[in-house]
Amino acid sequence: RKASDMKGRIILYGWVASLPVMLIGLILMAWAMETGDPCFFAGLAMFMSFVVFSLLAIKYQKEVDEAVTEFDRWFDRTFGDER
């Protein structure tokens, strides 16, 4: 049970962290297409991190759902009215 909990957390937090990386990657790819700078593949690699974590979240949906529920409970305990 602990290994699946950790797997779900790693995938969830990796997916969340890959969101800004994805946006930076899209900006880099657009910049490369506009200016011709050789940064397109760096942007593509950054974008692909989001794709990889999204596919992992789909494949291990049960573990990620448990991690989301656990985070939601922690958030409610910490910042909500459930003290």
Side-chain angles (χ1 to χ4, degrees):
R1 176 143 167 89
K2 285 292 183 188
S4 68
D5 287 348
M6 187 57 76
K7 184 190 310 180
R9 285 185 202 148
I10 290 170
I11 294 170
L12 173 66
Y13 298 141
W15 183 81
V16 170
S18 72
L19 287 170
V21 174
M22 174 198 63
L23 291 175
I24 293 169
L26 288 172
I27 291 168
L28 274 177
M29 288 190 294
W31 177 264
M33 287 188 282
E34 289 290 325
T35 64
D37 282 348
C39 60
F40 182 84
F41 290 112
L44 183 62
M46 295 172 89
F47 178 79
M48 289 306 293
S49 69
F50 175 76
V51 172
V52 168
F53 277 107
S54 295
L55 292 173
L56 286 171
I58 291 168
K59 182 175 181 178
Y60 298 105
Q61 182 177 356
K62 181 180 175 228
E63 289 89 346
V64 174
D65 284 344
E66 290 172 3
V68 168
T69 302
E70 179 184 334
F71 176 79
D72 192 36
R73 283 193 301 253
W74 171 83
F75 193 86
D76 286 342
R77 279 193 319 268
T78 305
F79 300 108
D81 294 334
E82 299 179 355
R83 292 186 191 231

